[in-house]
Amino acid sequence: MKENCKFKKIVTIVIDSFGIGQATDAKEFDDVGADTFGHILEYRPDLKIDNLYQLGLGNLHPCGKALQSKGYACKMHEASCSKDTMTGHWEMMGIHTTKPFKTFTENGFPDDLVQELERLTGHVFIGNKSASGTEILDELAMEEIQSDGKKLILYTSADSVLQICGHEEVTGLDELYRVCQIARELTLKPEYKVGRVIARPYVGNSVGHFTRTSNRHDYALSPSSKTVLDVLKSNAFDVIGIGKISDIFNGQGITKSIHSTSSHEGMLQTIEEMKKDFTGLLFTNLVDFDA
C-alpha cells in the first residue's frame, strides 16, 4: 500500500484558537464577531509573519497582506455540533460529532459531582465557575497555597472541560494527576460527560506572579469511532503526534508521541521529525495559542 502513495509524508500543524473570522453558525455558540487574527492586527498591524502570508494566510482576511501564495488558502467551517479543541481535531480526522459534549459554563459543576470528587480525593475544591486560567490563579492560588494543598482550584470554560489547578511544589504533580484521573472516571457518567479533564499545574508565590507550567495533562475521551489515524496505523503507516495530539485522541491511532513545552519547541520538534525517514502523518498542535 505504501508503494502506491502519492506523498510519503503529510504534515498537519494546528494553530489552536487562531481564528480568522466568525463561522457561519457563530450565533449558536456566542461567537458573533470572533476574529482572533483581525483583532491581533488591530494592535499589531506590522505583525511579521511573512511565511504564513506567503502560504496564503493574508488572502483570507481583508486586513492581511495578500502576498504571492506558495500554497492554497481557504477558510473551513466546522460541521460538528460543538466548537472545542477535541471536536475540531476529531473532525479533521473524520469524525462528525452530532451530539455536543456537556458544558458547565453558566453555573459551574453540580454540587453532587463536586461533593463526590471531594469525598474520593480528600480535597476541598474552590472556584467552580467558568474563568480565564490565568485570572483564576490570581484570584484563588494564594488560598490553595495557604491550605497546604488541601484546597484545589476547579474551573471550566466555554469548552467541554473540567480543569483542576495545583501548585507543583505545594500539591505536587503526582497528586494533581491522581485527582484528575478520579475526576475523569466520575465524568464518564452521561450527566457529567465532559470532553476533557485537564490538570493545570502552576508555580509562583504571589498574585501577579503565578505561571502555568508545561506539565499540563489532558484526560480525554476516546474517539467515538475510528479515525484517519487508526486507518493509517492499522496499515503500518507512521502517525507522529506532537504537542497534545496524543491526549486529544487518548493515544488512539498514534505510533509516536512527542511532548512539547511550548509552541516554539513544538515547531522545532516538527522540523526535526520532518528530516527523519518516515512514511505517514506528522500531526502537530501548537500548545500555547489556546492558553
Side-chain angles (χ1 to χ4, degrees):
M1 187 173 178
K2 289 184 179 181
E3 291 74 16
N4 299 324
C5 292
K6 184 175 180 180
F7 302 103
K8 183 177 180 182
K9 302 176 181 178
I10 294 176
V11 181
T12 301
I13 301 173
V14 178
I15 308 177
D16 213 342
S17 292
F18 185 70
I20 191 161
Q22 69 183 45
T24 52
D25 56 359
K27 287 183 180 180
E28 298 176 26
F29 298 92
D30 295 323
D31 278 346
V32 174
D35 184 8
T36 303
F37 183 48
H39 296 150
I40 290 172
L41 290 178
E42 289 175 11
Y43 292 91
R44 292 290 302 275
D46 59 342
L47 192 65
K48 300 190 184 305
I49 50 172
D50 285 353
N51 288 331
L52 286 175
Y53 279 144
Q54 289 173 6
L55 288 172
L57 179 66
N59 301 334
L60 303 179
H61 198 282
C63 297
K65 296 178 182 177
L67 300 182
Q68 178 65 39
S69 177
K70 291 183 177 179
Y72 296 98
C74 62
K75 286 178 68 172
M76 295 189 294
H77 297 279
E78 195 169 345
S80 295
C81 298
S82 189
K83 294 291 180 282
D84 57 62
T85 292
M86 198 164 75
T87 304
H89 283 72
W90 285 12
E91 185 169 316
M92 281 187 279
M93 294 298 120
I95 294 178
H96 180 196
T97 301
T98 56
K99 185 177 180 181
F101 299 114
K102 290 277 186 180
T103 57
F104 296 89
T105 308
E106 292 187 9
N107 302 306
F109 298 100
D111 290 342
D112 52 354
L113 172 60
V114 177
Q115 290 166 7
E116 183 67 359
L117 189 56
E118 290 181 338
R119 185 184 73 81
L120 292 173
T121 64
H123 290 274
V124 173
F125 291 90
I126 54 178
N128 190 21
K129 61 183 179 180
S130 178
S132 155
T134 51
E135 291 174 358
I136 204 164
L137 288 180
D138 283 340
E139 178 186 348
L140 295 174
M142 287 307 303
E143 184 176 347
E144 183 203 323
I145 292 170
Q146 290 165 0
S147 75
D148 289 327
K150 177 70 175 176
K151 296 180 179 180
L152 291 175
I153 301 167
L154 172 70
Y155 73 107
T156 188
S157 70
D159 280 6
S160 178
V161 292
L162 183 154
Q163 305 186 80
I164 300 175
C165 299
H167 195 286
E168 286 200 0
E169 298 169 2
V170 178
T171 302
L173 284 174
D174 288 344
E175 178 62 9
L176 178 62
Y177 294 159
R178 182 188 74 87
V179 169
C180 287
Q181 287 171 337
I182 293 172
R184 177 69 280 178
E185 289 298 316
L186 285 176
T187 54
L188 291 177
K189 297 179 179 180
E191 62 268 33
Y192 308 136
K193 202 166 189 177
V194 293
R196 286 177 295 159
V197 171
I198 305 177
R200 289 283 195 180
Y202 68 96
V203 294
N205 53 23
S206 62
V207 174
H209 296 91
F210 295 115
T211 305
R212 297 193 294 187
T213 76
S214 61
N215 291 315
R216 157 186 174 159
H217 187 74
D218 292 35
Y219 299 83
L221 298 172
S222 293
S224 55
S225 62
K226 282 189 175 182
T227 69
V228 170
L229 308 184
D230 296 306
V231 174
L232 289 170
K233 183 179 179 180
S234 65
N235 284 279
F237 287 95
D238 299 296
V239 182
I240 304 166
I242 293 179
K244 60 183 182 180
I245 294 298
S246 184
D247 286 347
I248 292 169
F249 291 88
N250 204 20
Q252 191 170 306
I254 306 293
T255 62
K256 179 180 180 181
S257 179
I258 302 172
H259 176 71
S260 300
T261 60
S262 67
S263 291
H264 178 71
E265 182 182 33
M267 283 307 302
L268 293 178
Q269 291 165 331
T270 300
I271 293 168
E272 190 61 31
E273 289 300 311
M274 287 172 64
K275 296 176 183 176
K276 297 179 181 178
D277 184 23
F278 73 89
T279 302
L281 175 67
L282 175 57
F283 198 179
T284 298
N285 178 289
L286 300 180
V287 296
D288 292 336
F289 285 87
D290 69 342

